């Protein structure tokens, strides 16, 4: 049966749409839709063309995979084509892949001992580097696998690409292949700068890497924080390489090329799956974006036996993670009011499965962001959910904007209490001026007050707090300590047992620490770390209440802004009243001696960040030690950080420190510094 007119039209429209996105991706470096959506369009077209082969045309996008070479860069023909990689998404598909490999190689018993080289699948741009007598002769993009573009001038600006190999024994002609990528920290920093300068930002690190490589002016590329890991070899002449893929990569590393430190040799499909899971857990802590892992049969003899199908090797496969970006539509934009009165736009979305969960709300951060991205009700948008972070709207797909959309404006009045919404000069955040009169702020303030790192009152959930606030039973946190068994047990859906447990939890929370108490008050900019520093420095509440701004800035980690926030808070009579009421209700802690800080200690002027598990010392103890000797301890790494003190299981902070070339110390080297 021939294709209907409707099918023919669908095929045409798919082709047009794919061509449009190819152009945006390869020529404009300005992608509009997530990969997952592009893949769906392509698969739909491929499916239809398979069903109706008579409709396949030579110019269909399915007939040429990869880049249109640009008119500006020289094209290069790869002497050996750069293959593509097949994908699997589910465990079952991976088992089928392994099964095929095992059968073809005539393995028995499930081929549990078949060795694979496993590594993360970097989300960057594939390139080829050609070394002649150990000297970098030419770098080229992968392009469509057969021809790419000459980007030698740009590759030379990337620090991790050696211009000359080190050591000896390399083949006279050696082509290596790998992925150029932009580490996340560099990507964020780059976009922040571009945004401030009103320049174009990148949608994601992969796009940033690909776009940077194709610059005509290498000075521009040199400014981009690019990195490269090599993952295979291409042309090899006049020289020998080992017979295992993993050994080849080791050898490349010894010649000065950078390889991924996460790579491992695993055995059997179970080894692959365990690796997939381990890398999946580590994904957010890595310094760079990955979109899956790659398994390659380690033995080159076996690779030769397996050969290729079409353009992909039969001996390798990419095992993809769930997509972190998807498309959906904005049903509405609402404004939420937080604990500090910050009025934040939130997009209500058509529910979409992204990053492993169904998402129906995404933050738009603040009104400037919303306007910069020009998000309107009715728009199709890219939502991103990476790791445990709050889902966010990345960008609008303007080509899919309906004719009727509604623009969003900052409300003049608070959606909760109707007070005026104000925005301070130069501040991105708009705030409700209602203070604790605003029930949203009161609820959020109370939720913060009872949270685990604050007063830690288990069982006083968000719903219950909201109800009590709504009824004006909770005017301020001290009302929590007035709750009785009788009053609680009367409430709907609250049994006697849970009422009793809650009263017990409230009672137990009264014995707290000064730092928890300070943190629980919810003073703006006073997070856990600052609260701890204040408590350690002053030792008692009266000392803090009477401290001037000049006194406060002497506290590690407290600058003029934070000092002012604290003073502002304590200058409000009603805040002092609440503090008194809480103590009257029995909230108490043990005072400590004020801290003696070395004015001119061995660590004066040095800023530390602490991460991981230290041997025989808690992080708080390490912090106190550093502070006593004049050093400062902060929570996040920046270029200004002097040292990262890292223990066991250091995660993303370690990666970031390496990224920013911040010196990393273990506890022993810290102690050596003190001597
Ligand atoms: O990290 C990657 N993106 C990656 C890509 C990798 N780790 N290994 C790869 N191996 C290959 C073969 C097996 C063909 C040598 C690849 C790619 N190919 C690849 N990158 C782009 C297309 C194919």
């Amino acid at each position: 049966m021939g294709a209907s007119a409707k099918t023919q039209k669908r095929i045409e429209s798919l082709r047009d749409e794919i061509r449009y996105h190819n152009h945006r991706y390869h020529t404009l470096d300005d992608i509009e839709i997530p990969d997952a959506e592009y893949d769906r369009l392509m698969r739909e077209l491929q499916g239809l063309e398979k069903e109706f082969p008579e409709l396949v045309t030579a110019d269909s996008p399915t007939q040429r995979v990869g880049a249109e070479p640009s008119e500006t860069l020289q094209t290069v023909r790869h002497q050996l084509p750069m293959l593509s990689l097949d994908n699997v998404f589910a465990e079952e598909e991976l088992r089928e892949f392994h099964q095929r490999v095992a059968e073809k190689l005539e393995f028995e018993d499930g081929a549990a001992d078949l060795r694979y080289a496993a590594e993360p699948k970097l989300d960057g741009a594939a390139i080829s580097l050609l070394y002649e007598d150990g000297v970098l002769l030419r770098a080229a993009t992968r392009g469509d696998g057969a021809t790419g573009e000459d980007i030698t001038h740009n590759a030379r600006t990337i620090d991790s690409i050696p211009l000359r190999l080190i050591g000896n024994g390399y083949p006279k002609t050696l082509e290596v292949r790998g992925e150029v990528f932009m580490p996340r920290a560099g990507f964020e920093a780059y976009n922040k700068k571009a945004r401030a300068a009103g320049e174009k930002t990148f949608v994601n690190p992969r796009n940033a890497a690909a776009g940077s490589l194709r610059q005509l002016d290498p000075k521009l590329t040199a400014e981009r924080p690019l990195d490269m890991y090599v993952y295979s070899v291409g042309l090899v002449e006049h020289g020998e390489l080992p017979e295992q893929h993993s050994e080849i990569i080791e050898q490349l590393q010894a010649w000065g090329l950078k390889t991924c430190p996460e790579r491992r040799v695993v055995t059997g499909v179970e080894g692959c799956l365990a690796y997939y899971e381990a890398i999946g857990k580590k994904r957010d802590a890595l310094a760079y974006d990955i979109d899956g892992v790659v398994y390659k049969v380690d033995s080159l003899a076996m690779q030769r036996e397996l050969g290729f199908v079409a353009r992909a090797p039969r001996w390798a496969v990419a095992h993809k993670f769930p997509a972190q970006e998807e498309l959906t539509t904005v049903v509405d934009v609402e404004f939420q009011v937080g604990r500090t009165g910050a009025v934040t736009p939130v997009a209500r979305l058509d529910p979409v499965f992204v990053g492993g969960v169904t998402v129906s709300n995404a933050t738009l951060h603040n009104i400037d962001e919303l306007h910069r991205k020009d998000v309107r009700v009715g728009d199709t948008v890219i939502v991103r959910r990476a790791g445990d972070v709050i889902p966010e709207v990345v960008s609008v797909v303007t080509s899919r904007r309906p004719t009727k959309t509604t623009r969003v404006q900052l409300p003049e009045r608070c959606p909760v209490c109707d007070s005026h919404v104000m925005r301070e000069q130069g501040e991105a955040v708009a705030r409700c001026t209602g203070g604790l009169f605003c029930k949203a702020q009161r609820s959020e303030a109370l939720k913060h007050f009872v949270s685990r790192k604050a007063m830690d009152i288990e069982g006083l959930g968000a719903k219950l707090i909201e109800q009590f606030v709504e009824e004006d039973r909770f005017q301020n946190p001290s009302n929590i300590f007035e709750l009785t068994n009788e009053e609680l047990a009367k409430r709907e859906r609250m049994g006697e047992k849970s009422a009793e447990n809650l009263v017990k939890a409230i009672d137990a929370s009264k014995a707290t620490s000064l730092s928890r108490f300070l943190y629980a008050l919810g003073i703006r900019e006073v997070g856990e770390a600052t609260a701890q520093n204040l408590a350690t420095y002053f030792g008692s509440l009266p000392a803090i209440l009477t401290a001037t701004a000049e006194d406060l800035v002497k506290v590690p980690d407290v600058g003029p802004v934070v000092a002012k926030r604290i003073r502002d808070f304590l200058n409000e009579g009603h805040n002092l009243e609440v503090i008194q009421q809480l103590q009257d209700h029995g909230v108490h802690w043990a005072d400590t001696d004020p801290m003696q800080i070395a004015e001119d200690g061995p660590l004066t002027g040095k800023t530390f960040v602490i991460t991981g598990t230290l041997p025989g010392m808690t992080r708080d103890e390490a912090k106190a030690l550093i502070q006593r000797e004049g050093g400062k301890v902060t929570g996040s790494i920046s270029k200004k950080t002097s040292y990262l003190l890292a223990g066991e299981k250091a995660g993303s902070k370690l990666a970031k420190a390496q990224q920013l070339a911040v010196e990393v110390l273990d506890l022993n080297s810290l102690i050596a510094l003190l001597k």
Side-chain angles (χ1 to χ4, degrees):
M1 202 180 76
S4 66
K6 199 169 154 205
T7 307
Q8 294 197 25
K9 260 184 101 174
R10 179 65 189 151
I11 288 179
E12 271 316 309
S13 104
L14 281 168
R15 284 178 186 159
D16 283 346
E17 199 172 353
I18 293 168
R19 282 189 195 110
Y20 169 84
H21 292 298
N22 279 348
H23 177 69
R24 291 201 71 116
Y25 185 109
H26 295 296
T27 312
L28 305 180
D29 288 322
D30 189 10
I31 48 173
E32 215 190 42
I33 56 170
D35 283 357
E37 176 69 7
Y38 181 87
D39 292 346
R40 268 195 297 274
L41 295 172
M42 199 56 141
R43 272 200 304 273
E44 186 184 345
L45 180 59
Q46 281 163 345
L48 288 171
E49 290 184 349
K50 202 167 160 192
E51 199 176 337
F52 305 106
E54 69 279 10
L55 297 184
V56 177
T57 56
D59 67 345
S60 172
T62 56
Q63 303 305 299
R64 94 166 279 132
V65 194
E68 295 281 337
S70 84
E71 284 161 22
T72 36
L73 295 166
Q74 286 287 326
T75 57
V76 217
R77 230 195 140 67
H78 298 296
Q79 291 198 48
L80 288 177
M82 287 180 79
L83 301 172
S84 59
L85 261 178
D86 277 339
N87 289 326
V88 295
F89 293 89
E91 177 177 332
E92 207 33 54
E93 290 174 275
L94 178 69
R95 290 188 184 278
E96 287 163 17
F97 163 81
H98 174 72
Q99 188 64 30
R100 279 197 302 276
V101 170
E103 266 165 29
K104 188 125 178 109
L105 295 175
E106 296 179 352
F107 263 80
E108 278 163 21
D109 299 338
D113 52 351
L114 176 52
R115 288 158 49 93
Y116 290 102
E119 66 205 10
K121 181 164 186 292
L122 300 158
D123 209 0
I127 74 165
S128 142
L129 302 174
L130 185 63
Y131 287 90
E132 197 65 48
D133 293 315
V135 176
L136 178 66
L137 193 68
R138 193 204 68 195
T141 62
R142 175 174 181 276
D144 64 2
T147 44
E149 290 160 324
D150 191 322
I151 47 139
T152 315
H153 57 298
N154 293 332
R156 285 178 183 283
T157 71
I158 300 174
D159 292 339
S160 47
I161 297 183
L163 301 179
R164 168 166 253 308
L165 299 178
I166 55 174
N168 46 45
Y170 39 75
K172 186 169 167 52
T173 302
L174 173 66
E175 185 207 352
V176 297
R177 291 160 176 190
E179 199 86 356
V180 169
F181 59 95
M182 190 179 282
R184 267 198 295 265
F187 166 78
E188 302 291 348
Y190 181 87
N191 265 1
K192 201 168 160 189
K193 226 170 113 187
R195 208 169 287 143
E199 287 163 13
K200 203 182 96 183
T201 54
F202 289 113
V203 179
N204 57 42
R206 170 171 47 78
N207 194 235
S212 302
L213 279 182
R214 299 178 65 255
Q215 290 298 320
L216 291 178
D217 181 357
K219 278 205 229 57
L220 293 176
T221 312
E223 288 168 13
R224 313 280 170 89
L226 298 173
D227 204 342
M228 175 175 183
Y229 288 156
V230 296
Y231 55 65
S232 79
V233 290
L235 189 67
V236 178
E237 283 176 345
H238 310 294
E240 293 281 309
L241 289 176
E243 270 294 302
Q244 306 283 330
H245 175 84
S246 53
E247 289 169 5
I248 295 178
I249 303 299
E250 287 296 327
Q251 180 62 74
L252 296 180
Q253 166 109 358
W255 285 330
L257 292 153
K258 225 166 142 177
T259 67
C260 182
E262 308 299 331
R263 78 201 137 75
R264 300 281 180 274
V265 173
V266 300
T267 50
V269 71
E270 301 308 327
C272 292
L273 288 167
Y275 182 79
Y276 178 80
E277 199 182 309
I279 294 293
K281 284 215 180 92
K282 215 172 170 181
R283 186 178 186 185
D284 296 328
L286 294 175
Y288 41 84
D289 271 3
I290 62 174
D291 60 352
V293 298
V294 185
Y295 316 113
K296 301 169 189 176
V297 170
D298 200 29
S299 149
L300 264 58
M302 290 182 192
Q303 289 187 3
R304 284 189 289 269
E305 206 174 321
L306 287 159
F308 317 95
V309 260
R311 293 190 191 170
R314 277 207 201 88
W315 42 265
V317 76
H319 191 180
K320 301 287 273 290
F321 292 132
Q324 291 186 320
E325 289 186 355
E326 277 294 353
L327 283 189
T328 187
T329 46
V330 177
V331 181
D332 198 4
V333 174
E334 286 174 13
F335 287 84
Q336 274 180 354
V337 188
R339 167 166 73 82
T340 59
V343 176
T344 314
V346 179
R348 305 281 176 228
L349 307 169
D350 242 358
V352 60
F353 191 74
V354 55
V357 300
T358 301
V359 165
S360 41
N361 302 303
T363 181
L364 287 155
H365 299 293
N366 58 57
I367 192 76
D368 283 347
E369 277 280 297
L370 182 150
H371 285 148
R372 193 174 58 70
K373 290 175 181 163
D374 190 19
V375 178
R376 306 183 196 171
V377 175
D379 267 336
T380 297
V381 292
I382 301 181
V383 274
R384 178 176 174 81
R385 181 187 178 271
D388 287 334
V389 298
I390 305 168
E392 61 166 351
V393 172
V394 178
S395 60
V396 173
V397 183
T398 40
S399 66
R400 295 197 188 179
R401 173 166 279 168
T403 40
K404 257 183 75 115
T405 51
T406 318
R407 284 178 205 252
V408 180
Q409 295 301 337
L410 182 68
E412 278 174 23
R413 289 182 175 270
C414 172
V416 176
C417 73
D418 210 39
S419 300
H420 280 283
V421 169
M422 293 268 281
R423 222 175 126 180
E424 271 175 52
Q425 194 81 53
E427 267 218 31
V429 182
R431 280 176 211 283
C432 161
T433 52
L436 290 183
F437 167 74
C438 176
K439 288 186 173 171
Q441 294 183 56
R442 218 192 287 163
S443 294
E444 295 306 310
L446 288 166
K447 285 180 208 165
H448 171 78
F449 185 82
V450 304
S451 64
R452 199 169 48 81
K453 291 178 174 167
M455 297 298 285
D456 192 19
I457 305 180
E458 210 182 308
L460 191 48
K463 277 263 149 20
L464 205 53
I465 289 177
E466 278 161 23
Q467 285 170 13
F468 279 129
V469 167
E470 195 45 51
E471 296 161 17
D472 275 330
R473 173 69 183 86
F474 282 175
Q475 309 265 352
N476 73 53
S478 74
N479 300 126
I480 293 173
F481 298 97
E482 298 159 2
L483 294 177
T484 58
N485 273 333
E486 297 74 52
E487 182 182 1
L488 281 169
K490 270 193 284 187
R491 300 200 70 87
E492 249 179 89
R493 269 174 304 185
M494 169 77 82
E496 244 170 67
K497 190 74 205 157
S498 21
E500 205 175 293
N501 285 340
L502 179 50
V503 170
K504 268 195 201 137
I506 291 171
D507 209 45
S509 76
K510 289 179 189 169
T512 186
S513 64
L514 179 56
S515 65
R516 275 177 179 275
F517 182 76
L518 288 172
Y519 174 63
L521 292 176
I523 305 167
R524 266 176 70 194
E525 320 255 1
V526 177
E528 249 187 294
T530 308
Q532 177 70 55
N533 286 343
L534 288 165
T536 315
Y537 185 89
F538 290 105
S540 74
L541 186 61
I544 296 173
L545 296 181
T546 53
T548 62
E550 289 88 80
D551 296 332
L552 288 165
V553 292
K554 290 193 195 130
V555 178
D557 204 15
V558 172
V561 174
V562 181
K564 181 172 179 324
R565 298 274 190 245
I566 298 169
R567 273 316 331 156
D568 285 351
F569 183 91
L570 297 175
N571 285 341
E572 294 282 346
H574 61 88
N575 287 335
L576 294 179
E577 263 170 49
V578 172
I579 289 175
Q580 190 54 53
Q581 283 167 13
L582 286 167
Q583 290 178 285
D584 292 346
H585 281 86
V587 175
H588 66 279
W589 55 85
D591 286 344
T592 55
D593 289 333
M595 190 163 86
Q596 298 298 316
I597 291 192
E599 290 271 307
D600 192 16
L603 304 182
T604 300
K606 300 278 188 259
T607 307
F608 286 75
V609 172
I610 309 177
T611 188
T613 314
L614 301 168
M617 193 185 270
T618 68
R619 282 208 287 268
D620 281 341
E621 285 165 345
K623 185 185 223 169
L625 173 72
I626 291 169
Q627 291 174 343
R628 239 185 356 256
E629 304 295 339
K632 282 191 169 199
V633 178
T634 64
S636 59
I637 299 197
S638 74
K639 271 187 279 184
K640 290 188 200 135
T641 309
S642 325
Y643 300 102
L644 175 71
L645 175 60
E648 287 276 302
K649 300 220 178 80
S652 58
K653 285 190 178 145
L654 184 56
K656 180 119 187 242
Q658 284 158 349
Q659 173 74 40
L660 295 174
V662 167
E663 194 174 331
V664 179
L665 298 179
D666 59 13
L667 193 55
N668 282 334
S669 353
L670 171 69
I671 290 163
L673 266 188
L674 298 180
K675 284 179 185 153

